Amino acid sequence: MIHETIVTTAACDGRPHIAPMGARYEGERVVLSPFRPSTTLDNIVASRAAVLNFTTDVRIFAGCVTHCATDWPTVRASRVASVRLAESLAHAELELDEMRDDAQRPVLFMKCVHRENHAPFAGFNRAQSAVVEGAILVSRLFMLPADKVDREMAYLQIAIDKTAGDNERTAWGWLVAAIARHRANLEAAGGAPATVAHH
């Protein structure tokens, strides 16, 4: 099972980095597998620390993958050399326990050394899930056929229309705009037209 989270890390100079990332659990350890090149990977190797942030503010997922908004407030973590989101439901502070290097996608085994809860979880919202799915699609535009993206976005739009609040509508707008930009750039570069699958 992969859980979609926000991973925060800090560079050696303290500069925060925020990235949506799937996390797996193997026993007591959290497993992260970032693709190279990765600022998250570089920061974890240097600091041996990261923080998993649990949030329902899906603007963060969408903002990071579309580069529409990346400057979310952070505060210093309690026990590790990292930062956490200032506004999250909960967070888990991690230390690097083992790294299995790979040219494309290293595997990082992290042990949790501290947890904090900050706010109650209000329940599941379909629009929030739709934004997370949409953010994953946007992060893979370079490898997915255009018609597949269109079909999935059309289906996800139903949940947005029926259950979204202001945050979800804002995030969804960023994703839709990012897809349009990607296709316009493809056409401008003489690549596949927007209606044709691009591999």
Side-chain angles (χ1 to χ4, degrees):
M1 181 181 286
I2 297 175
H3 302 261
E4 300 302 328
T5 66
I6 301 294
V7 176
T8 47
T9 55
C12 293
D13 62 3
R15 190 171 65 254
H17 183 70
I18 301 168
M21 192 170 294
R24 291 186 292 116
Y25 294 89
E26 288 190 5
E28 295 297 304
R29 298 198 296 183
V30 175
V31 183
L32 303 175
S33 304
F35 285 100
R36 293 183 185 274
S38 165
T39 302
T40 296
L41 174 63
D42 295 343
N43 287 351
I44 291 175
V45 170
S47 68
R48 304 190 67 79
V51 175
L52 280 191
N53 298 270
F54 307 102
T55 179
T56 53
D57 188 347
V58 291
R59 293 176 304 171
I60 303 173
F61 291 87
C64 287
V65 301
T66 61
H67 309 291
C68 288
T70 56
D71 190 23
W72 304 98
T74 58
V75 296
R76 184 186 296 275
S78 299
R79 296 240 338 240
V80 300
S82 188
V83 295
R84 67 170 178 86
L85 290 176
E87 302 279 335
S88 64
L89 302 180
H91 80 274
E93 301 184 13
L94 312 175
E95 287 183 350
L96 182 60
D97 191 39
E98 177 189 353
M99 176 174 169
R100 294 180 190 164
D101 208 358
D102 182 80
Q104 184 180 24
R105 197 175 191 188
V107 182
L108 307 172
F109 294 87
M110 315 286 294
K111 60 182 178 183
C112 181
V113 296
H114 183 67
R115 291 178 184 271
E116 287 181 34
N117 291 319
H118 308 290
F121 172 57
F124 294 105
N125 174 267
R126 290 175 58 207
Q128 291 167 349
S129 298
V131 170
V132 172
E133 288 298 321
I136 293 168
L137 285 173
V138 166
S139 73
R140 297 175 181 171
L141 285 175
F142 67 96
M143 60 188 282
L144 292 175
D147 59 341
K148 176 180 173 62
V149 173
D150 289 343
R151 281 196 311 273
E152 296 203 15
M153 290 293 285
Y155 178 74
L156 295 170
Q157 181 77 53
I158 298 168
I160 298 295
D161 292 342
K162 288 185 175 180
T163 68
D166 290 342
N167 285 357
E168 293 76 30
R169 279 189 285 271
T170 295
W172 188 254
W174 292 341
L175 297 173
V176 170
I179 293 170
R181 276 197 311 275
H182 172 76
R183 292 178 177 177
N185 290 341
L186 266 185
E187 290 199 89
T195 54
V196 176
H198 178 70
H199 299 282

